Amino acid sequence: MATFNTKTTFMTHSRSNPSRSSSRYLPRLVAMAQSQSYWASIESDIETYLKKAIPIRSPESVFEPMHHLTFAAPRTTAPALCVAACELVGGNRIQAMAAACAIHLMHAAAYTHEHLPLTDRPRPKPTIQHKFDPNIELLTGDGIIPFGLELLARSMDLAQSNPDKILRVIIEITRASGSQGIVEGQYRELGVDELSSDIKIIEYVSNKKEGELHACGAACGAILGGGAEEEIERLRNFGLYVGTVQGIVAKNKPGMEEKIEKLKGLALKELESFKGDKSELISRLVEPSLCAA
Amino acid sequence: MATFNTKTTFMTHSRSNPSRSSSRYLPRLVAMAQSQSYWASIESDIETYLKKAIPIRSPESVFEPMHHLTFAAPRTTAPALCVAACELVGGNRIQAMAAACAIHLMHAAAYTHEHLPLTDRPRPKPTIQHKFDPNIELLTGDGIIPFGLELLARSMDLAQSNPDKILRVIIEITRASGSQGIVEGQYRELGVDELSSDIKIIEYVSNKKEGELHACGAACGAILGGGAEEEIERLRNFGLYVGTVQGIVAKNKPGMEEKIEKLKGLALKELESFKGDKSELISRLVEPSLCAA
């Protein structure tokens, strides 16, 4: 999945316009620096929260792999979008923190299981370094899913939220990480050769995996931040388009440029009714260059 | 894990006392028949609820294996104990039904993943028939966990319950099925040869797997049925002892008879403060012959 790589992005943009006057691009550079700093601060807060939530404690045989696999999974922008959506609708960052972490944990469990060496699995995924043997990775993934949801269920005081909102967010996250989201996307990937795969399959899988996870992130943030129903749905759609774009871009398949541009346009349209700096900052997620593969 | 097998139990008990007068044992036979009928009615209601919750629907590639693996997993008595505990504290059966199903689903996911053929897994478990290939079984297990929790999070109206109770039950179930319950028990089993394994390991694993699942079942039922805190804790302890006994009995390891009797005694002690027929019915779970392996 796509990861934040703001430094590279920044440099790429500067270098891609060598002949232009730097003064002309100063406002854009300033805006980009603000955007980087905003997303970096969210990422840093999520990491701090996660590290506190998963200390390496007894039994170490359980918590050491859980800690390792949680942080070994590549970051996606879905948890950060959860926090940003919460702030966009007027909530406090802390209200979305447990949900953002739960979303990362669902992704980390899925990523771990996706790379498990099963006896008769075709290997569509690039092999990764395994610090633990398959049994441990299987069990750790199985432990991470309930752990993430427990973290969320326990977050009521922290989120200054009512239990109805937390239950609603649990439903969002279980849907997105289960058979109507990531798991359904993974089913469709089974036995599909990535290089030769059909454009429609790539779009479908990106929609179910990165798309649903980002839709869920945005919706959860908006719910927890006290957004109106219309705001929640607009942000959910924004997340779906943005996540789908990221999934497609990561596959790097020629011939999908038009689809990507269309989805980016749809995403930005969903943000039109939101005003202010935070709306501008969130809109940056449609730039694949901000979320380098 | 142990399963309900009331018919066999009934016959075994009748045959074991061939020389005694049948009239002397009539009250006992009547009590056993009542007990069988009570547990059978709970089992039947859980099955009906689960079948409605997991219809074979689109996408069939996802829901057919989910349906199959949910019902292929051997039953445990933990979901039925959840319902019985709810009724014991004065609740209605329907209030505990989603939690009971979620508990079965957590067990079914764990059972499915326990029998996955991984590339370098030692095989402590008896091999089972696999209807689907390992990729599908892995993904289906991954889908069942969030599905079970979603079912529970959505059950508020049905349970005539407040969202605080549902959140509390979600925490109970995520704990019991995660790294402090089943997953921790599975970790300890890794690489352990069942036949030669130490008595202490058998007890530890039974406590973490069957024990925690039954403790969770009993506590969830009592919470949802509106039990007082003391009732919840007594039923939780009862479940822990009863589940641990079942786990130990299923291993069929000589030299554990004294431990089993001690745990049964502790279990029955937890029920002393409950009065009435339902308390008698629940106490039947300590009889391993009622829950034949």
Side-chain angles (χ1 to χ4, degrees):
Chain A
M1 280 196 190
T3 55
F4 275 116
N5 194 339
T6 47
K7 195 170 180 191
T8 314
T9 310
F10 183 82
M11 290 172 69
T12 309
H13 269 258
S14 308
R15 278 200 305 247
S16 64
N17 303 299
S19 63
R20 318 257 176 124
S21 145
S22 68
S23 66
R24 189 172 156 196
Y25 290 94
L26 203 57
R28 186 172 175 192
L29 290 175
V30 169
M32 285 186 67
Q34 280 174 338
S35 167
Q36 288 164 27
S37 140
Y38 179 65
W39 291 109
S41 82
I42 294 180
E43 285 291 315
S44 163
D45 286 351
I46 292 174
E47 185 155 331
T48 304
Y49 191 96
L50 264 177
K51 282 191 174 152
K52 271 192 201 157
I54 317 179
I56 299 180
R57 61 179 165 92
S58 179
E60 277 184 32
S61 58
V62 175
F63 281 98
E64 204 218 319
M66 191 183 266
H67 192 274
H68 175 80
L69 293 167
T70 296
F71 294 102
R75 295 284 175 81
T76 84
T77 48
L81 175 57
C82 175
V83 174
C86 174
E87 293 189 329
L88 179 64
V89 300
N92 295 320
R93 182 169 297 193
I94 189 68
Q95 292 177 290
M97 210 45 82
C101 288
I103 290 167
H104 175 71
L105 289 164
M106 299 303 116
H107 157 69
Y111 181 85
T112 300
H113 282 184
E114 244 176 40
H115 293 84
L116 267 186
L118 291 168
T119 47
D120 57 353
R121 160 171 276 185
R123 307 208 177 211
K125 296 279 157 197
T127 49
I128 58 165
Q129 271 214 317
H130 294 277
K131 188 174 170 189
F132 303 99
D133 77 29
N135 273 309
I136 298 288
E137 295 198 350
L138 172 65
L139 283 179
T140 305
D142 285 347
I144 287 176
I145 300 171
F147 177 82
L149 294 163
E150 184 185 347
L151 190 72
L152 184 54
R154 285 187 188 278
S155 71
M156 215 160 61
D157 294 340
L158 181 79
Q160 301 151 18
S161 204
N162 63 38
D164 291 293
K165 276 189 192 167
I166 304 278
L167 277 178
R168 192 170 165 190
V169 164
I170 288 174
I171 293 169
E172 295 282 350
I173 294 178
T174 50
R175 272 180 59 96
S177 57
S179 313
Q180 289 173 76
I182 294 177
V183 168
E184 160 66 348
Q186 289 173 323
Y187 265 100
R188 282 299 291 270
E189 276 182 319
L190 288 181
V192 172
D193 176 354
E194 253 181 45
L195 291 173
S196 65
S197 63
D198 183 73
I199 281 176
K200 279 194 180 156
I201 290 184
I202 288 180
E203 190 187 344
Y204 185 87
V205 169
S206 300
N207 177 288
K208 285 291 168 188
K209 289 176 73 180
E210 293 87 349
E212 289 288 351
L213 198 68
H214 282 77
C216 162
C220 289
I223 291 165
L224 292 165
E229 289 305 316
E230 197 195 321
E231 291 176 312
I232 294 165
E233 292 317 309
R234 285 195 181 282
L235 282 163
R236 183 200 302 285
N237 293 339
F238 172 78
L240 188 68
Y241 297 134
V242 160
T244 306
V245 165
Q246 288 191 11
I248 294 172
V249 167
K251 302 282 189 310
N252 206 15
K253 175 98 177 169
M256 302 203 71
E257 297 74 12
E258 200 179 322
K259 170 58 71 183
I260 290 171
E261 287 312 309
K262 192 180 161 197
L263 289 169
K264 282 158 76 171
L266 289 168
L268 290 175
K269 211 168 161 53
E270 296 290 343
L271 291 186
E272 279 173 4
S273 56
F274 296 96
K275 304 290 172 219
D277 287 356
K278 291 235 157 46
S279 166
E280 167 65 19
L281 290 169
I282 284 194
S283 74
R284 291 285 175 175
L285 279 189
V286 301
E287 298 282 343
S289 56
L290 180 67
C291 314
Chain B
M1 281 195 188
T3 56
F4 275 116
N5 193 338
T6 48
K7 196 170 178 192
T8 312
T9 310
F10 184 83
M11 291 173 68
T12 309
H13 270 259
S14 309
R15 279 200 305 250
S16 64
N17 304 299
S19 62
R20 320 254 176 127
S21 145
S22 68
S23 66
R24 190 174 156 194
Y25 291 93
L26 202 58
R28 186 173 176 188
L29 290 175
V30 170
M32 285 186 68
Q34 281 174 338
S35 168
Q36 288 164 26
S37 142
Y38 179 65
W39 292 108
S41 82
I42 294 180
E43 285 291 315
S44 163
D45 286 351
I46 292 174
E47 184 155 332
T48 304
Y49 191 96
L50 264 177
K51 281 190 175 153
K52 270 191 200 157
I54 316 179
I56 299 179
R57 62 178 165 92
S58 179
E60 277 183 32
S61 59
V62 175
F63 281 97
E64 204 218 320
M66 192 184 265
H67 193 274
H68 175 81
L69 292 167
T70 296
F71 293 101
R75 295 284 176 81
T76 84
T77 48
L81 175 56
C82 174
V83 175
C86 173
E87 293 189 330
L88 179 64
V89 300
N92 294 321
R93 183 170 296 193
I94 189 69
Q95 293 176 288
M97 210 46 81
C101 288
I103 289 166
H104 176 71
L105 289 164
M106 299 303 116
H107 157 69
Y111 181 85
T112 301
H113 281 184
E114 243 176 40
H115 293 84
L116 267 186
L118 291 168
T119 45
D120 56 354
R121 161 172 275 185
R123 307 213 177 207
K125 296 280 158 198
T127 49
I128 58 166
Q129 271 214 315
H130 294 276
K131 188 175 171 189
F132 303 99
D133 78 27
N135 273 310
I136 299 287
E137 295 198 350
L138 172 65
L139 283 179
T140 305
D142 285 348
I144 286 177
I145 300 172
F147 177 81
L149 294 164
E150 184 186 348
L151 191 71
L152 185 54
R154 285 187 189 279
S155 70
M156 215 160 60
D157 294 340
L158 181 80
Q160 300 151 19
S161 205
N162 63 40
D164 291 296
K165 276 189 193 169
I166 304 278
L167 277 179
R168 193 171 163 189
V169 165
I170 287 174
I171 292 170
E172 294 283 349
I173 294 178
T174 50
R175 272 180 59 97
S177 57
S179 312
Q180 289 172 76
I182 294 176
V183 168
E184 161 67 348
Q186 289 172 322
Y187 265 99
R188 282 300 291 271
E189 275 182 320
L190 288 182
V192 172
D193 177 354
E194 254 182 44
L195 291 174
S196 65
S197 64
D198 184 72
I199 281 176
K200 279 194 179 157
I201 291 183
I202 289 181
E203 190 188 343
Y204 185 87
V205 169
S206 301
N207 177 288
K208 286 290 168 187
K209 290 176 72 181
E210 294 87 348
E212 289 288 351
L213 198 70
H214 282 76
C216 161
C220 290
I223 292 166
L224 292 164
E229 289 305 316
E230 196 194 322
E231 291 177 312
I232 294 166
E233 291 317 309
R234 285 194 181 280
L235 282 164
R236 182 200 302 285
N237 293 339
F238 173 78
L240 188 68
Y241 297 134
V242 160
T244 306
V245 166
Q246 288 191 12
I248 293 172
V249 167
K251 301 283 189 308
N252 207 15
K253 175 97 177 171
M256 302 202 70
E257 297 75 12
E258 200 179 322
K259 169 60 70 182
I260 289 171
E261 287 312 309
K262 191 180 161 196
L263 289 169
K264 282 158 77 171
L266 288 168
L268 290 175
K269 211 169 160 52
E270 296 290 343
L271 291 186
E272 279 174 5
S273 56
F274 296 95
K275 305 289 173 219
D277 287 357
K278 291 235 158 45
S279 166
E280 167 66 18
L281 290 169
I282 283 195
S283 74
R284 290 285 176 178
L285 279 189
V286 302
E287 298 282 343
S289 55
L290 180 68
C291 314

